[in-house]
Amino acid sequence: MGKLSVKHLIGIKDLKPEDINLILDTAQTFKEVINRPIKKVPSMRDVTVVNLFFENSTRTRLSFELAEKRLSADILNFTASSSSVSKGETLIDTVNNILAMKVDLVVMRHPKPGAALFLSQKVNSVIVNAGDGTHEHPTQALLDAFSIREKLGTLKGKKVVIVGDILHSRVALSNIYCLQKSGAEVMVCPATLIPKYIEQLGVKVETNLINALNWCDVANVLRIQLERQDIKYFPSLREYIMQYGITLDILKKLQKKIVIMHPGPINRGVEITTEVADSDQSIILDQVENGVAVRMAVLYLLAGQPVG
Ligand code: CP
């Protein structure tokens, strides 16, 4: 078995292309395992994992929990709102108290960018970033890459456009790093929700949705993250839908049949219509299915690394 070059999974920025390949290939093996009648393997027996969620989640949280169960790990689930964090306990104190109970690995979602890196520098445990504010969401990018590879056979030379709220999206940044390191070309659309210096990441920028969709093999559509917006970036939701909402009519008029992805949660009727989300071009539920195998691969590969 190969080894990762990192001890923690903080962001895709830290990974080498070989790390990404190793994770995707290991996930392929685990996908076969979880489609067998007996879905469980003993790979993480006697390893204890805590899932620390300081922010809401449906997919990531359940997917990590299922991945841990499929690997036979022992699991603790922690929700900030029902913990002593509400009494003023710090993040480091909280985690060190959990680690004192002989926990080996921490999966953490946190609203603050940099929280996962900070924790990895302050506590003696393996840290897996399950999304830190507007920074990175590495396992989402890995499951997206896995899903494109599964659908199109390879990532090399494929053209992927990320449509929507790039500015507030950790999924966008992790996807840009992951796709580029895997040999894909990346475009972002639209204009007012894009960070000022995005071109420095080597991505194309296209403000016209139809041009962007005609260019790509895959469109990864993001929702408008109103909870992270402190000012208005477009006049109204109605106008956003008119300019950037993806409809079946738009898909039918394109020069080729593209693949539609979305990390979820979807706002049906805003960035994507119900007909598009549920169409045969959409691989949204494949992404969710693949998330379990990809997270199994990440946990398995990191649990085999020494902490330090
Ligand atoms: N894609 C994603 O991170 O979804 P959740 O917020 O439900 O985990």
Side-chain angles (χ1 to χ4, degrees):
M1 186 194 79
K3 273 182 72 167
L4 293 175
S5 69
V6 291
K7 293 180 174 174
H8 311 276
L9 181 60
I10 306 301
I12 303 289
K13 191 177 183 190
D14 309 324
L15 298 184
K16 296 183 171 145
E18 305 87 74
D19 293 319
I20 295 171
N21 275 336
L22 176 61
I23 294 168
L24 301 191
D25 290 346
T26 308
Q28 187 60 52
T29 308
F30 281 130
K31 183 158 181 181
E32 282 149 33
V33 168
I34 58 180
N35 278 295
R36 292 182 196 150
I38 297 169
K39 300 174 173 59
K40 231 171 153 161
V41 286
S43 312
M44 282 180 71
R45 201 166 51 201
D46 298 328
V47 177
T48 306
V49 183
V50 63
N51 300 309
L52 279 178
F53 277 71
F54 291 90
E55 194 190 74
N56 294 343
S57 169
T58 300
R59 281 146 290 269
T60 311
R61 184 182 179 133
L62 293 177
S63 179
F64 265 113
E65 188 174 337
L66 198 54
E68 291 148 12
K69 286 181 170 158
R70 298 283 190 245
L71 290 164
S72 307
D74 292 321
I75 304 169
L76 295 176
N77 284 317
F78 169 98
T79 310
S81 57
S82 58
S83 74
S84 291
V85 169
S86 57
K87 299 175 198 161
E89 193 168 41
T90 66
L91 176 62
I92 294 173
D93 280 341
T94 300
V95 174
N96 274 331
N97 276 272
I98 293 168
L99 294 178
M101 299 177 212
K102 308 296 174 208
V103 168
D104 304 293
L105 201 145
V106 177
V107 173
M108 183 174 77
R109 170 167 288 192
H110 200 283
K112 296 276 184 287
L117 176 64
F118 173 73
L119 198 61
S120 72
Q121 292 166 341
K122 300 287 180 191
V123 304
N124 188 30
S125 179
V126 176
I127 308 298
V128 181
N129 182 8
D132 60 332
T134 53
H135 177 225
E136 281 224 38
H137 192 349
T139 57
Q140 180 67 47
L142 289 163
L143 75 87
D144 290 344
F146 183 95
S147 304
I148 296 171
R149 196 176 81 159
E150 183 178 64
K151 183 75 183 172
L152 301 180
T154 181
L155 285 148
K156 279 204 174 56
K158 297 300 173 201
K159 293 176 174 171
V160 182
V161 63
I162 306 172
V163 183
D165 187 354
I166 318 295
L167 188 60
H168 301 95
S169 172
R170 55 193 173 212
V171 174
L173 188 59
S174 289
N175 258 275
I176 290 168
Y177 290 136
C178 193
L179 291 164
Q180 288 182 336
K181 287 177 193 224
S182 305
E185 280 184 74
V186 186
M187 178 184 276
V188 291
C189 173
T192 63
L193 290 155
I194 288 178
K196 271 187 191 156
Y197 304 107
I198 190 88
E199 274 112 338
Q200 288 180 8
L201 290 174
V203 300
K204 296 181 195 323
V205 179
E206 172 60 69
T207 54
N208 182 292
L209 178 67
I210 306 301
N211 290 347
L213 296 179
N214 268 323
W215 172 84
C216 74
D217 301 300
V218 178
N220 196 352
V221 190
L222 308 177
R223 79 186 163 89
I224 303 298
Q225 287 148 86
L226 292 169
E227 76 277 18
R228 297 200 193 120
Q229 294 185 12
D230 43 7
I231 58 167
K232 272 187 177 288
Y233 289 86
F234 43 86
S236 71
L237 206 54
R238 208 170 129 255
E239 281 175 71
Y240 181 86
I241 295 167
M242 280 167 65
Q243 279 211 57
Y244 294 110
I246 300 182
T247 64
L248 210 48
D249 197 41
I250 288 175
L251 289 190
K252 279 183 189 156
K253 286 182 183 151
L254 298 178
Q255 290 148 14
K256 59 183 169 189
K257 202 168 176 182
I258 63 167
V259 177
I260 297 290
M261 301 174 71
H262 195 306
I266 299 174
N267 287 144
R268 287 174 185 261
V270 181
E271 69 273 11
I272 195 170
T273 62
T274 285
E275 292 75 23
V276 172
D278 301 339
S279 73
D280 65 353
Q281 286 173 250
S282 159
I283 59 164
I284 294 171
L285 291 180
D286 300 305
Q287 290 172 259
V288 178
E289 179 186 342
N290 292 334
V292 178
V294 166
R295 290 179 174 117
M296 284 173 80
V298 165
L299 293 165
Y300 170 73
L301 290 165
L302 285 176
Q305 307 273 65
V307 188

